Amino acid sequence: MSSVTADSKLPARPAAPTSGGGDTIPMRRMLAFMAMVFGMFMAILDIQIVSASLAEIQAGLSASTDEIAWVQTAYLIAEVVMIPLSGFLARMMSTRILFTLAAAGFTLSSALCATATNIDQMIFYRAIQGFIGGGMIPSVFAAAFTIFPPSKRAVVSPMIGLVATLAPTIGPTVGGYLSHALSWHWLFLVNVPFGILVTLAVWNLVDFDKPEWSLFSKFDWFGLLGMAAFLGSLEYVLEEGPLDDWFESKTIVVMSVILVVGAGLFLYRAFTAKEPIVDLTAFTNRNFAFGSLFSFIMGVGLYGLTYLYPVYLGRIRGYDSLMIGETMFVSGLAMFFTAPLSGKLSSKLDPRVMMAMGFSAFGLGTWLMSGLTHDWDFYELLIPQLLRGFGLMMAMVPINNIALGTLPPQKMKGASGLYNLTRNLGGAVGLAIINTMINDRTVLHYDRLAERVRWGSQVAEDRLNDMASSFNAAGLDGANVALKQMSGLIHREASVMAFSDVFVMLTGLFVALCFLTIMIRRPSANVKVDAH
């Protein structure tokens, strides 16, 4: 009797026609979902497609090094605020209206980015693009776990898992090709025709739910203010902290204070407001809590390695964005071909076994990378990248199923926003840790190497004399040039050793995840799914 009473308090959900067999996916619904998936792909891709070509944008807009970094930071800060907010907006507006507005706004802001003539305009347009585009990402996850029966998750879960991991992985490749073959403007213009198609398709095909406009009068503006201050400041601190030596910067200190105050206001409103802006009660579900933890750490690996490989190839090997993209494309291919395999295995294997396989492959790949040297090229990076792509897909699909597969439909929209937020925050935290480690460990290794390459070391003196003789023969100041060359060699080797340390850290992280899999429950095969 109590369960009936509890259910009666939930808002009525409209019914929509379903196929007679129950397990057959109507073509209209499948096309609508694929349009949404493509919209999510554009939103996630746009982070990395730009990061690979910041140098070209910087030159085109005559921006400084500090200014150009905000092209990425503005997007990420705005997106991280919208992702958890989208759950409430989807309930209020409906999936159809929210996704259509998000796709249309993302398309328009992409066009505006391409027309930017100075760095201030670009940063403003990127913030709009990130905020609006962030509304598309959680909607796809929520739709996948509410409009399709559990028997079809072997089809839809690999699809969204592939997009969530493939988009940031191939971003540098796509960005490199576009900026080299055309110009940096096409990094944004490429979104326009596809964005128009997604907008039209979603408006005409999506009919999953109905709006609840009465929620607008209950909108928690103070909760939104607290969440924006909390997440926006957190993203800023994590992005800029490694560059500004953390709390040595007054700006970082001020943003940290705003972060704490915003977090306090947000949490207070989340537990006291009649309609909180974000429903945190999903974390009472143990599988969702652990799935979100796994998603957080997968964000560290996904975005961390998507960052590490280009930095190594650019800084140590001297590759340009096109060469970096061509080298990293291997991971994308591995993900693409692993996706159907992970989908089939997800219906046959215990998801905890699949996750352990994925984490093990990922950890093995990072362990192989711990032997990095300054002359590693495509073939040395091949196996680690294949293992990375395979591991990501093998782990991501069961993580999605475990985190969202045991939640009731009425919690799905809000939980989807929280779940996607954990992956983005994991990436931000991971990048902050990685950048800090690289900076600190490079200094440490440089000091240690410099101690060995000093006056009194016969090997070092012989090498310096040989280099000085070569430069003198070329008409240069041999002694000074040799010292600069030796210092550069030491710094290069110190950087490579720092990269190696980061890969060892990531290996330990994914080994720990293998053991954490025993803490979760296997989702029931007969979880109730929204039948509207």
Side-chain angles (χ1 to χ4, degrees):
M1 182 68 182
S2 59
S3 62
V4 174
T5 304
D7 289 343
S8 65
K9 294 179 182 178
L10 298 174
R13 303 189 65 87
T18 58
S19 57
D23 277 357
T24 302
I25 304 175
M27 182 56 67
R28 175 190 176 94
R29 180 159 291 186
M30 196 65 202
L31 290 175
F33 180 71
M34 290 178 67
M36 293 175 65
V37 167
F38 196 84
M40 180 180 79
F41 178 80
M42 290 195 303
I44 299 177
L45 179 72
D46 224 64
I47 302 172
Q48 297 299 333
I49 195 176
V50 172
S51 68
S53 303
L54 285 177
E56 287 84 351
I57 299 174
Q58 180 180 354
L61 298 178
S62 301
S64 68
T65 302
D66 291 337
E67 289 174 331
I68 199 63
W70 274 93
V71 173
Q72 285 294 82
T73 304
Y75 187 98
L76 293 171
I77 289 176
E79 183 187 53
V80 83
V81 173
M82 180 54 156
I83 285 176
L85 175 62
S86 64
F88 185 93
L89 295 180
R91 290 170 55 209
M92 183 177 74
M93 296 181 175
S94 78
T95 302
R96 178 195 185 205
I97 295 177
L98 173 64
F99 206 98
T100 300
L101 290 175
F106 182 83
T107 304
L108 178 60
S109 56
S110 296
L112 290 174
C113 287
T115 64
T117 56
N118 58 62
I119 189 63
D120 293 331
Q121 289 180 5
M122 175 62 80
I123 292 171
F124 179 68
Y125 296 151
R126 281 286 282 174
I128 296 174
Q129 188 186 34
F131 184 77
I132 297 176
M136 292 189 282
I137 300 170
S139 299
V140 176
F141 281 81
F145 285 87
T146 53
I147 67 173
F148 297 116
S151 60
K152 296 302 179 185
R153 285 179 188 162
V155 177
V156 296
S157 192
M159 189 186 302
I160 59 174
L162 178 64
V163 168
T165 54
L166 183 64
T169 302
I170 68 170
T173 305
V174 177
Y177 273 108
L178 287 175
S179 58
H180 273 71
L182 301 168
S183 72
W184 65 264
H185 302 83
W186 283 92
L187 300 172
F188 306 104
L189 290 175
V190 71
N191 292 328
V192 174
F194 297 109
I196 293 172
L197 291 175
V198 169
T199 303
L200 294 174
V202 170
W203 179 255
N204 287 287
L205 296 174
V206 171
D207 58 355
F208 306 152
D209 49 18
K210 298 294 182 181
E212 297 175 33
W213 294 111
S214 60
L215 290 175
F216 184 77
S217 61
K218 304 174 185 177
F219 192 89
D220 184 14
W221 295 101
F222 286 106
L224 175 61
L225 176 64
M227 185 178 72
F230 167 42
L231 294 177
S233 300
L234 177 62
E235 186 74 36
Y236 177 87
V237 169
L238 293 173
E239 284 282 318
E240 301 296 321
L243 303 176
D244 295 338
D245 201 17
W246 293 101
F247 296 105
E248 296 299 318
S249 165
K250 290 183 179 179
T251 305
I252 294 294
V253 172
V254 170
M255 295 302 286
S256 297
V257 172
I258 296 174
L259 186 163
V260 173
V261 174
L265 176 59
F266 166 64
L267 291 174
Y268 173 75
R269 296 299 301 174
F271 292 108
T272 59
K274 291 183 179 179
E275 284 288 346
I277 202 75
V278 177
D279 182 10
L280 298 179
T281 59
F283 286 112
T284 59
N285 180 300
R286 191 170 82 171
N287 273 11
F288 178 77
F290 275 99
S292 296
L293 173 63
F294 292 138
S295 176
F296 181 91
I297 301 177
M298 287 299 290
V300 175
L302 172 63
Y303 290 103
L305 289 185
T306 302
Y307 170 80
L308 269 174
Y309 279 102
V311 171
Y312 164 77
L313 292 170
R315 187 180 299 175
I316 306 300
R317 298 292 297 160
Y319 283 16
D320 61 22
S321 59
L322 180 59
M323 296 168 69
I324 291 171
E326 291 173 342
T327 304
M328 292 187 62
F329 193 64
V330 175
S331 287
L333 286 177
M335 290 179 196
F336 185 81
F337 287 110
T338 305
L341 172 64
S342 64
K344 290 182 179 179
L345 291 178
S346 66
S347 60
K348 297 178 180 179
L349 281 182
D350 187 321
R352 294 166 295 188
V353 174
M354 283 188 66
M355 289 167 62
M357 291 170 59
F359 298 148
S360 299
F362 207 110
L364 178 58
T366 53
W367 174 251
L368 292 175
M369 286 297 297
S370 66
L372 187 70
T373 65
H374 70 268
D375 57 355
W376 276 31
D377 212 327
F378 177 85
Y379 293 104
E380 289 82 5
L381 300 177
L382 178 62
I383 299 301
Q385 287 203 86
L386 290 175
L387 287 169
R388 173 194 171 211
F390 173 82
L392 273 172
M393 282 309 302
M394 289 297 289
M396 186 62 74
V397 171
I399 288 174
N400 292 343
N401 291 340
I402 284 170
L404 301 174
T406 56
L407 290 172
Q410 64 271 20
K411 288 187 178 293
M412 190 62 69
K413 291 176 181 176
S416 177
L418 287 172
Y419 176 68
N420 282 276
L421 175 65
T422 58
R423 185 176 63 252
N424 280 34
L425 288 181
V429 171
L431 290 177
I433 294 172
I434 287 169
N435 275 318
T436 301
M437 277 192 68
I438 289 176
N439 293 337
D440 293 347
R441 300 296 291 182
T442 298
V443 172
L444 175 66
H445 289 304
Y446 184 89
D447 290 341
R448 288 178 176 175
L449 290 172
E451 288 177 3
R452 299 185 179 185
V453 185
R454 65 184 190 277
W455 297 115
S457 170
Q458 190 62 46
V459 175
E461 290 185 13
D462 290 345
R463 177 69 184 272
L464 278 170
N465 289 333
D466 290 342
M467 294 171 66
S469 298
S470 298
F471 290 127
N472 282 328
L476 301 173
D477 184 353
N480 286 332
V481 176
L483 282 172
K484 290 180 180 179
Q485 286 280 347
M486 182 63 77
S487 177
L489 289 174
I490 295 172
H491 189 273
R492 183 193 69 186
E493 294 306 312
S495 297
V496 171
M497 294 170 74
F499 280 112
S500 180
D501 292 342
V502 172
F503 284 116
V504 171
M505 180 270 292
L506 290 173
T507 301
L509 195 62
F510 282 93
V511 169
L513 277 184
C514 291
F515 291 100
L516 269 179
T517 56
I518 64 176
M519 300 295 294
I520 58 180
R521 295 190 181 102
R522 180 174 183 170
S524 173
N526 57 355
V527 176
K528 291 178 68 178
V529 176
D530 202 3
H532 56 269

